[in-house]
Amino acid sequence: MKKILSVAALGLSLTACSTNFAPMNYTLTVNVSGVPTATVTVTDTTTKQTVFQQAVTGTATIPNLVEDHVYTVSGLDVSGFKTPAAQTITLKKNDSVSLAYTAQ
């Protein structure tokens, strides 16, 4: 009987220790330079969803992005300026990306 109770207690303690941890949420700061304002799109390539698409003047911070998801940050064309290359980032902490526009 003692052995059965010990095995049951071990099972309960293992169950109590096995917890599923939800991924952390982080922020991504997008810095836009070289133009007064540019529309920026951020796509979660893991879920294939656009999580942000707005005009950015200087800096925008996007909250509640999921840890270990891959995000693509791209700026839309601005007349008279060379559009910076899209950037891809795997979010593992609060992070930032810079999009630098240059005059053509």
Side-chain angles (χ1 to χ4, degrees), residues 48-65:
K48 310 286 189 252
Q49 293 184 339
T50 299
V51 296
F52 180 87
Q53 185 171 26
Q54 291 182 17
V56 175
T57 301
T59 301
T61 300
I62 306 150
N64 301 317
L65 299 180

Side-chain angles (χ1 to χ4, degrees), residues 8-51:
L10 177 63
L12 286 175
S13 66
L14 287 176
T15 302
C17 290
S18 64
T19 306
N20 291 333
F21 292 100
M24 297 286 294
N25 286 344
Y26 293 113
T27 61
L28 178 63
T29 301
V30 178
N31 301 301
V32 173
S33 63
V35 292
T37 300
T39 300
V40 173
T41 301
V42 179
T43 304
D44 182 336
T45 62
T46 306
T47 64
K48 310 286 189 252
Q49 293 184 339
T50 299
V51 296

Side-chain angles (χ1 to χ4, degrees), residues 2 19 26 29 33 54 61 66-67 71 78 82 88-89 96 98 101:
K2 211 174 198 182
T19 306
Y26 293 113
T29 301
S33 63
Q54 291 182 17
T61 300
V66 182
E67 175 185 33
Y71 295 92
V78 175
K82 183 178 177 194
T88 302
I89 185 168
S96 64
S98 295
Y101 285 80

